[in-house]
Amino acid sequence: MVMPLAGAFSGWYYAALVTESSHVLFATFIGLCIGITIDIVCYYEKLFSLVFYQIPIPVILFLIFFEIALFFVNKWQAALIALIGLALGILIVKVLIVPNPFYTMRKRIVIVIYILLSIIMLGVMMGVPVSNFLLGIIAGNYFSIRYAGSVMSRARLQRNLIAVTILSSIVLLLSELIFAWLIWQDSINILDYIYKIFGIAFTQNHLIFIMITIGILSILIQLFITYSSASVMYRFRLLKMLDNKQITQKTASYLFLSE
């Protein structure tokens, strides 16, 4: 339920901030659907790797080629040129990505991928950092797949879990600082908009207080959902390995983060 609820909250949060109030329910529903989809993707390791490791590069190159081509040709011609970017992305995946398994690559590369995804989603959401809630859950699921069944002490496993949780929160904090800067640049118009919609006259000091409050709550939510999704999915995968007799009961008891 964490992922669908986080998706619904993200949709509501986004709509409440940047769209008309009539769109809030629709955006919440779309966010719920996205969360359920991510739930399904996270359940299957190969599908998770395909969606978040192999597909993004071709898609990003397709969009980049398309946007650049639009400056010189019409949409249909730009779409054909974008196919070159798509083909280049598929080639990169086959040559560089597939030979390097997603769940055994260096942590530095994984961190870079996470940050890039955060930047992309920040752009897609027009500067609103709500997508980081879902990315935090994705990071937690990646943790569960990478370390399920691995032979390491509980203390070391716990340190890795805390590191993943803190990383997702730091990235969210940086995203929120960018969002706060964008809000502040247009604070006068935003305050006028709030007054027209809700009839409440806020000052810039009120706006600062609201941004700080929402920022702190968002970070606390991110800490919770990343940590909980990682630990819950980790236990789920261990139990799955136990059912499939990939590990023994004794090994499973040792590897659990908590009794």
Side-chain angles (χ1 to χ4, degrees):
M1 291 300 297
V2 174
M3 299 178 195
L5 289 176
F9 174 77
S10 296
W12 170 83
Y13 186 49
Y14 175 79
L17 288 175
V18 302
T19 67
E20 297 178 2
S21 57
S22 61
H23 295 156
V24 171
L25 184 61
F26 177 73
T28 302
F29 175 74
I30 294 298
L32 177 67
C33 293
I34 292 174
I36 293 172
T37 302
I38 293 177
D39 236 350
I40 296 171
V41 170
C42 288
Y43 185 83
Y44 300 99
E45 295 182 20
K46 291 183 178 179
L47 182 60
F48 183 82
S49 177
L50 179 67
V51 171
F52 294 107
Y53 184 50
Q54 298 182 24
I55 290 180
I57 291 178
V59 172
I60 291 170
L61 287 179
F62 176 87
L63 294 175
I64 290 174
F65 273 61
F66 180 78
E67 292 297 331
I68 293 175
L70 279 178
F71 285 103
F72 307 100
V73 296
N74 59 44
K75 289 184 178 180
W76 290 107
Q77 292 172 329
L80 293 175
I81 294 173
L83 292 176
I84 299 175
L86 180 67
L88 179 61
I90 293 173
L91 179 62
I92 291 173
V93 168
K94 287 187 176 181
V95 175
L96 299 177
I97 303 300
V98 174
N100 298 287
F102 192 27
Y103 306 112
T104 58
M105 64 167 48
R106 293 183 178 181
K107 294 178 184 178
R108 296 175 187 173
I109 300 176
V110 177
I111 291 172
V112 170
I113 292 173
Y114 183 83
I115 292 174
L116 287 175
L117 285 174
S118 298
I119 294 172
I120 292 168
M121 292 305 297
L122 194 64
V124 171
M125 303 297 283
M126 296 187 293
V128 182
V130 294
S131 57
N132 283 84
F133 292 127
L134 298 178
L135 290 177
I137 296 173
I138 291 168
N141 188 67
Y142 177 84
F143 169 89
S144 72
I145 298 173
R146 181 174 183 129
Y147 293 109
S150 62
V151 181
M152 63 172 59
S153 65
R154 288 187 182 182
R156 184 181 174 189
L157 190 64
Q158 193 73 33
R159 286 197 299 270
N160 285 328
L161 175 55
I162 292 173
V164 169
T165 304
I166 291 175
L167 172 66
S168 67
S169 299
I170 290 175
V171 173
L172 174 62
L173 175 60
L174 295 175
S175 300
E176 287 185 334
L177 289 175
I178 295 173
F179 178 58
W181 179 80
L182 293 172
I183 289 291
W184 188 252
Q185 295 301 306
D186 197 31
S187 59
I188 301 299
N189 291 329
I190 291 173
L191 291 172
D192 289 339
Y193 176 78
I194 293 174
Y195 180 75
K196 290 177 181 178
I197 298 298
F198 302 103
I200 303 174
F202 285 120
T203 66
Q204 288 186 322
N205 288 334
H206 290 142
L207 186 61
I208 292 174
F209 176 77
I210 292 171
M211 288 192 295
I212 292 175
T213 302
I214 291 177
I216 293 173
L217 288 175
S218 298
I219 290 173
L220 291 175
I221 292 171
Q222 182 76 316
L223 287 169
F224 170 74
I225 63 177
T226 303
Y227 187 93
S228 61
S229 61
S231 56
V232 167
M233 291 303 291
Y234 177 83
R235 290 181 65 87
F236 163 74
R237 297 194 188 284
L238 280 186
L239 290 172
K240 190 176 180 181
M241 293 174 69
L242 182 61
D243 290 340
N244 295 333
K245 301 188 184 303
Q246 294 175 277
I247 56 175
T248 64
Q249 180 67 52
K250 182 178 180 180
T251 303
S253 300
Y254 171 77
L255 292 173
F256 278 145
L257 284 168
S258 61
E259 294 292 349

